[in-house]
């Protein structure tokens, strides 16, 4: 999906965005980043962030724990949960479905095959799950390699 296609898709779901994408470097490639928020939400309340790299197009989507849309996988709620609860459910699901369980250096459970890694996000005095989606490719063989550097920061 290209940036223009994503902005149209997000608008039809009730999200707005800043007019100009933020541009960074992603290895040897130029990376564009678009931040979406619910219509009427303050500018600082970013719900979804999309990343695009050169000719590869959309490589990564992140969903905020506090303001992002709810996302589920076969009945497992993925957004806004205590990380330990989601990790336990995901491990059970991945093992039951014959998928490899992957751990990030921080200990988060995810799946390269499903293209998703939950991340912990601070919400006041507790941690809740946010989600990073991506599709490993020839250039980035794992989700860890694919995720932009700013997604590894503690939120």
């Amino acid at each position: 999906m290209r940036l223009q296609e994503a902005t149209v898709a997000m608008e039809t779901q009730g999200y707005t965005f800043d007019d100009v994408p933020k541009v960074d470097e992603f290895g040897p490639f130029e990376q564009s980043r678009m931040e979406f928020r619910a219509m009427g939400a303050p500018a600082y309340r970013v719900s979804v962030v999309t990343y695009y790299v050169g000719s590869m197009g959309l490589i990564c989507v992140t969903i905020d724990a506090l303001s992002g849309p709810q996302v589920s996988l076969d009945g497992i709620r993925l957004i806004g949960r205590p990380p330990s609860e989601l990790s336990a459910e995901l491990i059970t699901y991945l093992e039951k479905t014959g998928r490899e369980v992957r751990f990030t250096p921080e200990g988060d459970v995810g799946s390269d095959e499903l293209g998703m890694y939950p991340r912990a996000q601070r919400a006041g005095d507790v941690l809740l799950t946010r989600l990073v989606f991506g599709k490993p490719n020839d250039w980035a063989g794992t989700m860890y390699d694919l995720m932009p550097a700013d997604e590894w920061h503690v939120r």
Side-chain angles (χ1 to χ4, degrees):
M1 182 176 279
R2 301 281 172 230
L3 190 132
Q4 294 78 12
E5 295 169 310
T7 56
V8 169
M10 291 298 288
E11 283 181 311
T12 63
Q13 296 300 311
Y15 290 87
T16 187
F17 57 93
D18 295 328
D19 290 334
V20 179
K22 297 177 181 176
V23 178
D24 297 312
E25 296 295 318
F26 187 72
F29 305 104
E30 183 178 274
Q31 168 187 284
S32 299
R33 169 190 163 131
M34 289 290 292
E35 297 179 347
F36 296 89
R37 62 185 176 285
M39 299 276 187
Y44 62 84
R45 185 59 73 190
V46 176
S47 301
V48 177
V49 178
T50 56
Y51 295 89
Y52 309 83
V53 173
S55 63
M56 289 183 260
L58 180 65
I59 62 153
C60 198
V61 175
T62 65
I63 311 294
D64 188 80
L66 299 174
S67 62
Q70 191 49 248
V71 178
S72 62
L73 169 69
D74 283 343
I76 301 171
R77 198 177 103 227
L78 301 173
I79 306 296
R81 298 190 54 196
S84 60
E85 288 178 12
L86 179 57
S87 290
E89 270 191 76
L90 270 180
I91 288 171
T92 300
Y93 175 81
L94 293 170
E95 288 175 344
K96 185 176 87 176
T97 59
R99 292 182 169 98
E100 182 180 10
V101 177
R102 300 283 296 213
F103 291 91
T104 67
E106 294 84 7
D108 296 314
V109 174
S111 171
D112 284 337
E113 187 178 347
L114 295 175
M116 59 177 239
Y117 269 109
R119 306 279 298 143
Q121 177 179 326
R122 187 180 167 124
D125 291 336
V126 299
L127 293 177
L128 297 176
T129 54
R130 58 184 274 111
L131 206 62
V132 179
F133 288 105
K135 185 173 185 325
N137 54 43
D138 293 338
W139 187 74
T142 68
M143 281 293 296
Y144 184 83
D145 297 330
L146 181 71
M147 287 171 52
D150 59 338
E151 288 304 324
W152 288 109
H153 298 274
V154 175
R155 300 199 182 277

